[in-house]
Amino acid sequence: MTTMPPTPAAPAPAPTGPEPAGGRPRAVLALARFETRELLLQIPVLASLLLYVATAAWQLYSGHEGWRTVPGREGMADYPALQDVDRGTQGDCLLLGVALFVCANRAVLRSRRSGTDRHFDVLVVEPWRRTVAHALSVVPFAAFTALVVAVRFGRAALRPGAVGHGSLSELAAGPLAVLLFGVAGVLLARLVPSAWGAPLFVIALYVAVASLLVLTEGAHWAEWLFPTVSESGADPLPSDLLGRPAAWHALYLAGLTGTLLGAAVLRGGGRTPRIKALTALALAAMVTGIAGQSPAASPELDAARARVSLHPERYETCTTRGATVYCALPEWTGRTDDWAEAVERVRSLTGGDAAGRRLTVRQRVEARYGPENDPTYPPLSAPGEVTVLTRWGGTRVPEFAAGLASVLVAGDEKAGGEVCDGRMVTVMWLALGAAPDPTAALRSVRLDDGVTGSAYVLTPTDGLPMDAAQTTVVRELLARPRDSVTAAVRTHWTDLTAPGVSTSRVAELLDVSLPEGTGAGDPCDV
């Protein structure tokens, strides 16, 4: 029996040297894709993402942008000022940012909770590269936020009633805030490797923010340290009078995000000269952004705001249509058609010489106190001048019509604001009689949102008082055929617009019966 010699063992493979440099970036990107999927499966992230999308969809398709609408009328969202729309996209994404902060923090700590940190020593992706991968996992969410922001702004910009100019820096604030929150969660996990770190940090941050606002009394520089600064409340201002340091703020957010990422990478062991240089560059950008955004409005801006607020006629472009001159600020000249439509509806119901009386529709804006004030407008005293504001649509249409009607009845806005006798019936009929839904317009133009009893009627300036008897007469007139009421108003125009006429006399002229005991015989009894 012959014994075969044993087969010699195969030689061990020769060492191949270090991992090729190109493999590490691919590994980082692969890990980032995996972590993105993991983040998307986290309930807080998924829930906040769905809520963010649902909110954006509702705002897009319901015609609602934070202002109430009138049934049967186009809402204010159909007449957007793009310099308001861009910053209006910032606040909705903060909940998504907080969710990413918490879940990105937990993702970095996953290996520590599972006890697998020691196994990473045999992988080609060092701890600092894993930190970069976790930071990159947040980028798709910031990109998706940017897509939603672009869709919302694009939808507003394509509306026929859109005016003004948007800012790319304002639009970038929301996505940058989302990215900032995610990177901050990664850094916190490297600094405080505990599952309790993120919740405690959120609580501490809330307390710090509240304390900062109290201590600084809402100073400009303190407000602009926050990721988003929406500043709302005023009527839309001209773009060049906003005075918002949006570009500096975007630089600050980008620099702060880069600084936090650099700190996280350095903490993870990536102390290469390139990373140190990039971190220093990001820090410099952050400091530059803070320095640029911290000063309040300049004296030159305050002076420009005052000039436009006190003397808008110096900056307006005026066009004449029939007996009406329409004067609009530069960015609002496209609204002339909408104003003219409202004016013609009111004029079509008048009698006497009111249908051909010379009028000037003058646009006004209160810019002296910035984009956060609650503006008021004193009535104009020049004959035939009517105030129109920078916000249009929804309730602003019947409010403008009420102010216009008071001028047609009393002669000027100051005198129209003092109307409280039976002429209020004529004013309200002119304002609402030709509206698509007169009863809904009556409800929307009253401060109490009702159609019974006494109330205050909103106008662009001081408003008008309306007592219960006048409300009853107006409601009855709006329920009747328009042509018959218009004919009666034209027949008795002189009596209906006479100063001091009682509500009971107006009701008699228009063949409306009033309940006894309403006090309709006492003019200005509100």
Side-chain angles (χ1 to χ4, degrees):
M1 179 175 175
T2 304
T3 304
M4 299 293 294
T7 304
T16 59
E19 177 73 15
R24 290 178 177 176
R26 288 196 296 269
V28 170
L29 293 177
L31 179 57
R33 288 194 295 269
F34 171 79
E35 293 296 345
T36 297
R37 290 194 297 269
E38 289 297 307
L39 283 176
L40 188 59
L41 296 177
Q42 299 299 310
I43 292 178
V45 172
L46 183 59
S48 60
L49 190 63
L50 292 176
L51 180 62
Y52 177 56
V53 173
T55 301
W58 177 66
Q59 290 171 339
L60 283 173
Y61 295 106
S62 68
H64 181 84
E65 290 286 351
W67 308 299
R68 57 179 182 158
T69 57
V70 182
R73 290 292 301 159
E74 294 172 314
M76 295 184 200
D78 291 313
Y79 301 89
L82 299 182
Q83 59 265 37
D84 282 6
V85 174
D86 54 11
R87 72 177 186 270
T89 63
Q90 297 179 8
D92 295 340
C93 59
L94 292 182
L95 180 61
L96 174 59
V98 173
L100 285 172
F101 171 80
V102 174
C103 293
N105 179 269
R106 287 181 55 83
V108 176
L109 296 175
R110 185 192 310 117
S111 59
R112 183 180 181 87
R113 294 194 307 272
S114 304
T116 58
D117 270 344
R118 63 184 183 276
H119 299 300
F120 288 147
D121 294 336
V122 300
L123 300 180
V124 298
V125 182
E126 303 97 317
W128 71 268
R129 294 185 189 273
R130 294 199 299 274
T131 300
V132 173
H134 281 290
L136 290 176
S137 71
V138 183
V139 172
F141 295 94
F144 181 78
T145 304
L147 176 62
V148 173
V149 167
V151 170
R152 286 183 59 184
F153 183 80
R155 170 79 170 179
L158 292 175
R159 292 185 184 276
V163 297
H165 303 86
S167 166
L168 184 60
S169 298
E170 296 280 14
L171 295 172
L176 284 174
V178 170
L179 186 62
L180 171 64
F181 276 102
V183 172
V186 174
L187 172 60
L188 183 64
R190 291 304 185 201
L191 296 177
V192 184
S194 171
W196 292 99
L200 293 177
F201 181 81
V202 170
I203 296 173
L205 182 63
Y206 177 81
V207 173
V209 167
S211 301
L212 180 64
L213 290 177
V214 172
L215 293 175
T216 62
E217 298 181 349
H220 173 88
W221 66 267
E223 287 186 351
W224 282 87
L225 291 177
F226 295 102
T228 62
V229 186
S230 59
E231 286 187 327
S232 60
D235 289 327
L237 304 184
S239 300
D240 56 350
L241 299 183
L242 280 173
R244 286 174 55 86
W248 292 113
H249 189 64
L251 179 63
Y252 156 67
L253 291 178
L256 177 57
T257 302
T259 301
L260 297 184
L261 175 58
V265 173
L266 291 172
R267 177 67 176 177
R271 297 182 178 88
T272 65
R274 179 179 298 179
I275 292 176
K276 292 179 180 179
L278 292 176
T279 304
L281 180 62
L283 181 61
M286 181 189 73
V287 173
T288 303
I290 292 176
Q293 71 183 13
S294 293
S298 65
E300 293 77 13
L301 178 60
D302 287 337
R305 287 174 171 177
R307 287 194 298 268
V308 174
S309 300
L310 298 175
H311 303 287
E313 67 279 359
R314 298 178 182 176
Y315 306 93
E316 291 174 338
T317 300
C318 298
T319 58
T320 301
R321 297 193 180 187
T324 307
V325 179
Y326 299 92
C327 296
L329 294 169
E331 292 177 297
W332 277 268
T333 54
R335 291 271 169 87
T336 301
D337 291 342
D338 301 303
W339 300 341
E341 181 182 351
V343 169
E344 293 309 313
R345 280 202 302 265
V346 175
R347 280 192 187 271
S348 68
L349 304 179
T350 60
D353 65 345
R357 188 181 306 168
R358 299 293 297 180
L359 293 175
T360 299
V361 175
R362 185 170 304 285
Q363 189 172 44
R364 300 167 65 188
V365 64
E366 179 53 83
R368 287 174 290 179
Y369 311 105
E372 281 192 299
N373 76 98
D374 186 11
T376 58
Y377 300 87
L380 300 171
S381 57
E385 285 202 350
V386 184
T387 295
V388 65
L389 303 180
T390 55
R391 186 167 287 163
W392 187 254
T395 60
R396 293 298 184 264
V397 178
E399 289 172 13
F400 167 74
L404 169 64
S406 70
V407 172
L408 290 173
V409 169
D412 61 72
E413 277 191 345
K414 184 175 177 58
E418 298 171 356
V419 169
C420 57
D421 49 33
R423 290 178 293 171
M424 268 299 298
V425 173
T426 307
V427 168
M428 296 307 293
W429 162 253
L430 296 179
L432 308 176
D437 190 340
T439 301
L442 173 63
R443 187 185 302 277
S444 69
V445 82
R446 285 164 55 102
L447 191 59
D448 66 344
D449 294 326
V451 293
T452 59
S454 61
Y456 205 69
V457 175
L458 301 173
T459 69
T461 56
D462 284 349
L464 304 166
M466 186 177 185
D467 67 18
Q470 293 160 359
T471 301
T472 300
V473 177
V474 170
R475 194 172 63 249
E476 173 66 24
L477 294 177
L478 295 179
R480 292 182 179 182
R482 182 186 307 171
D483 292 342
S484 63
V485 178
T486 302
V489 168
R490 289 173 176 170
T491 300
H492 302 289
W493 178 258
T494 302
D495 294 329
L496 293 174
T497 58
V501 63
S502 67
T503 303
S504 58
R505 176 57 179 163
V506 171
E508 178 184 349
L509 293 172
L510 298 178
D511 194 25
V512 176
S513 300
L514 283 175
E516 296 183 1
T518 58
D522 300 325
C524 303
D525 183 15
V526 181

